[in-house]
Amino acid sequence: MTDRHSAAPDRLHSLPRYRQPHPREAATRHIVVLQSAAACASFVGELQQPLVLNQENSDFSARLLEVLGSATVGSHVYIMGDEAFVWRIHAQARAAGLEDDEIDITHSIVGQRSVYCVHCGLTQSSGPAPLLTCVRCNVGLEVREHFSRRLGAYLGVCTNPDQPFAGARP
């Protein structure tokens, strides 16, 4: 989960703020979702009988859907990985009926993040670079310091307003 109350005054409110997860003592079922073994936090050993799902396993997608679909009241999900991974899994957990306070998000691996192109509506993975070219509409994008929790993505806007369609109108 992001920490909304420890925001530095020089950071925008919409930027996600991550914290280290801590075991939820009231939880009756601990579900840990990892992008890779490298994303694992030492706190997993503190959990009582955690169910650990690792994206590196071949049956990850099917198991994730099954586990999230059968999550009951008292379940708590801990998600660890890069930003693109944690927000994708967060969206799946929310779609399965879990509430935000039943989900902890830890950005534990440097890697990909999702960027939403405001020109064509595509959400695409990108590295940390502030500039990229949209793979669908070919518009040069500047990645803004604005994050949509609903989309799980940063906002990408045209770097050259004189050529907002990269020379070809959609």
Side-chain angles (χ1 to χ4, degrees):
M1 173 168 238
T2 56
D3 186 359
R4 296 182 188 145
H5 303 292
S6 65
D10 61 335
R11 287 181 52 103
L12 295 175
H13 175 70
S14 70
L15 290 179
R17 290 159 187 88
Y18 302 101
R19 63 179 180 213
Q20 290 301 312
H22 62 279
R24 304 298 177 151
E25 293 180 20
T28 57
R29 185 177 186 202
H30 301 280
I31 304 165
V32 181
V33 184
L34 306 172
Q35 184 173 9
S36 69
C40 186
S42 61
F43 95 101
V44 174
E46 300 172 29
L47 300 173
Q48 277 198 330
Q49 300 178 334
L51 172 61
V52 179
L53 302 173
N54 186 336
Q55 179 180 290
E56 294 174 332
N57 294 340
S58 60
D59 63 343
F60 173 77
S61 296
R63 281 286 287 141
L64 178 65
L65 290 174
E66 175 188 329
V67 168
L68 292 177
S70 66
T72 59
V73 172
S75 295
H76 197 86
V77 177
Y78 308 88
I79 309 169
M80 293 173 250
D82 68 22
E83 281 190 302
F85 176 81
V86 297
W87 288 102
R88 179 176 56 85
I89 302 302
H90 177 269
Q92 288 180 295
R94 293 287 289 144
L98 283 97
E99 297 294 331
D100 271 335
D101 62 349
E102 297 173 314
I103 305 168
D104 276 353
I105 299 172
T106 302
H107 176 218
S108 59
I109 298 177
V110 176
Q112 297 293 301
R113 64 180 177 172
S114 295
V115 176
Y116 175 79
C117 176
V118 300
H119 303 280
C120 70
L122 177 70
T123 300
Q124 56 200 301
S125 288
S126 170
L131 300 174
L132 71 129
T133 300
C134 178
V135 296
R136 179 188 288 163
C137 67
N138 206 32
V139 169
L141 299 175
E142 175 186 352
V143 182
R144 293 290 175 97
E145 293 289 310
H146 176 74
F147 185 83
S148 167
R149 288 179 56 86
R150 181 181 64 81
L151 296 172
Y154 289 88
L155 181 68
V157 298
C158 181
T159 58
N160 184 353
D162 293 329
Q163 288 186 318
F165 298 106
R169 294 199 174 262

